[in-house]
Amino acid sequence: MDRKSPLGTILLIASLIAGISYIASWQLALPAAASTAWKGAGVALLALYAAVRAQGPGGWMLCAVMVFGALGDILLETHGLNVGAVAFLVGHLVAIGLYLRYRRANLPKGDAIFAVLLVPATVAIAFLLPSDRAMAPGVALYSTGLALMAACAWICRFPRAMTGLGALMFVVSDLLIFARGGPLAGQAWVGYGVWILYYFGQVLIALGGVRGLSSERRL
């Protein structure tokens, strides 16, 4: 579809409304199905936004990243942490393929070092956070995919202030989830931090991907 179609803008605005207002829904006594649908709507609308803006395989890969993100949001509520994490992990793997497809040719040494160190640092922190040590290996496995996704986002040609930053926000959001089962247990602010970092991270990833792919097609 034409990049200039207003439908994309409408979908993006609708996503922002859904994603921001979801926090307000926490104070409402909603049925579980309604709360879950509200939660999934923000990133699901980002998937539709990416689909409307898609122009080629990269665009559809970005759309798939958002689809698995929305699926993860829903499955976390309906089937628990492990099943939801699998959906997110699939999305991370698709994102890794997308970012490597558009990796920078001449990467500055500092950026390369940051990307390399990001992976073991994220995995180590994630492994140490859960109080239930039986969860630690699974958390580390998932975090490996998460960290690789963020590292690849950092070295791709998409706008770093969008895609790179959004991926790092996603990492911090998930680390807060793991910390909520450990040193930050019972802290009320953590839930807000998790959602704000996650949702706006996804927004930046979607915007950066759309802009980056559009620039690639003009080259």
Side-chain angles (χ1 to χ4, degrees), residues 89 92-93 96 118-120 122-124 126 137-151 178:
L89 184 57
H92 296 332
L93 295 176
I96 289 168
L118 178 63
V119 177
T122 300
V123 174
V139 165
L141 177 62
Y142 167 81
S143 297
T144 300
L146 171 70
L148 285 170
M149 177 277 293
F178 304 142

Side-chain angles (χ1 to χ4, degrees), residues 17-168:
I17 293 171
I20 294 169
S21 65
Y22 172 63
I23 294 177
S25 76
W26 298 351
Q27 309 303 321
L28 304 176
L30 294 175
S35 178
T36 299
W38 201 335
K39 181 179 183 180
V43 179
L45 287 163
L46 288 179
L48 291 175
Y49 163 75
V52 167
R53 294 290 194 249
Q55 298 184 73
W60 291 110
M61 290 176 75
L62 178 64
C63 178
V65 170
M66 294 297 130
V67 167
F68 282 107
L71 184 60
D73 288 335
I74 293 170
L75 291 176
L76 281 176
E77 300 300 318
T78 60
H79 291 75
L81 181 62
N82 291 337
V83 177
V86 170
F88 281 118
L89 184 57
V90 173
H92 296 332
L93 295 176
V94 175
I96 289 168
L98 172 63
Y99 301 147
L100 290 179
R101 183 185 180 106
Y102 296 98
R103 64 187 180 276
R104 295 179 187 273
N106 299 306
L107 189 67
K109 186 176 180 180
D111 290 333
I113 292 173
F114 177 79
V116 169
L117 293 179
L118 178 63
V119 177
T122 300
V123 174
I125 293 170
F127 179 80
L128 294 172
L129 285 174
S131 295
D132 181 359
R133 300 313 299 160
M135 293 179 59
V139 165
L141 177 62
Y142 167 81
S143 297
T144 300
L146 171 70
L148 285 170
M149 177 277 293
C152 291
W154 191 257
I155 65 172
C156 80
R157 297 196 296 270
F158 299 165
R160 183 170 292 164
M162 293 181 176
T163 302
L165 177 59
L168 292 178

Side-chain angles (χ1 to χ4, degrees), residues 3 15 20 38 41 165 167 180 186 191-192 195 198 200-201 209:
R3 288 189 304 106
S15 170
I20 294 169
W38 201 335
L165 177 59
R180 189 164 53 185
Y192 293 94
W195 181 254
Y198 163 73
F200 284 103

